[in-house]
Amino acid sequence: MPIGCVIVRDGEIVGEGANEVATQTDPTAHAEIVAIRRACASVGVDLRGATLYSTLQPCGMCSMASIWSHVSRIVYGAERHQVHSMYFEDRHLETMDFIRDAFRDDMSFTGGVLPEDTVALYYKPGDDVPPEEQGNL
C-alpha cells in the first residue's frame, strides 16, 4: 500500500517510513509505526516537539503509538471517508477520537492536507479492488 510517513522535529527529519507490512511479514509495520521506531532509535522514545506527517489518516494502532511516543502534532493527507474501507481496521470507529480523548493538551492534528494529491494514491470508496491488492477486508 502506498502509505508514507516522516517525522520532523526542529526542522530535521528524525524518522521516515513506508508501509512494510508485506515486506517484513509484520502486520504492525505501518508507515507511521516504522517512522516512529526509526525516530525513537534516532532521538529517544520521547518525541515531544515532533510532527508526524502521513499521506493517509492514521489508523487506531498508529494513533495510539503517536500518543504513547508523545508526538506533538499529526498532519495527514487523505481522510478515511475519501478512501476505500480496506485501509482501516474498524469501519465504525473514528480513530481521531483516540487523540481527542488522550487526555493530552499538547497534541494536535490537521487532516485533509493536499487532498487531491493524496487521495489519488488510494482506492476510492466503492472501487473494485483487484484480489492481489486487497488488504484488511
Side-chain angles (χ1 to χ4, degrees), residues 1-113:
M1 293 185 192
I3 302 168
C5 179
V6 294
I7 299 175
V8 176
R9 185 161 70 181
D10 298 327
E12 304 267 338
I13 294 175
V14 296
E16 57 189 314
N19 186 299
E20 297 181 7
V21 169
T23 59
Q24 298 296 324
T25 59
D26 177 357
T28 69
H30 292 195
E32 298 92 337
I33 299 294
V34 172
I36 288 170
R37 288 175 180 159
R38 291 176 180 160
C40 290
S42 173
V43 298
V45 297
D46 189 334
L47 298 178
R48 281 181 177 82
T51 299
L52 181 149
Y53 296 92
S54 181
T55 55
L56 181 62
Q57 179 178 334
C59 72
M61 176 182 67
C62 296
S63 296
M64 291 305 294
S66 298
I67 290 167
W68 281 102
S69 63
H70 300 285
V71 165
S72 293
R73 184 173 177 225
I74 296 175
V75 177
Y76 59 90
E79 297 180 282
R80 71 182 296 158
H81 70 275
Q82 297 174 305
V83 299
H84 196 279
S85 63
M86 74 174 176
Y87 297 110
F88 292 90
E89 73 288 338
D90 189 318
R91 286 25 167 214
H92 307 288
L93 180 66
E94 177 54 59
T95 57
M96 289 297 106
D97 288 342
F98 292 147
I99 295 168
R100 283 186 205 94
D101 296 339
F103 304 107
R104 291 203 31 225
D105 58 4
D106 62 341
M107 184 180 216
S108 65
F109 59 94
T110 304
V113 176

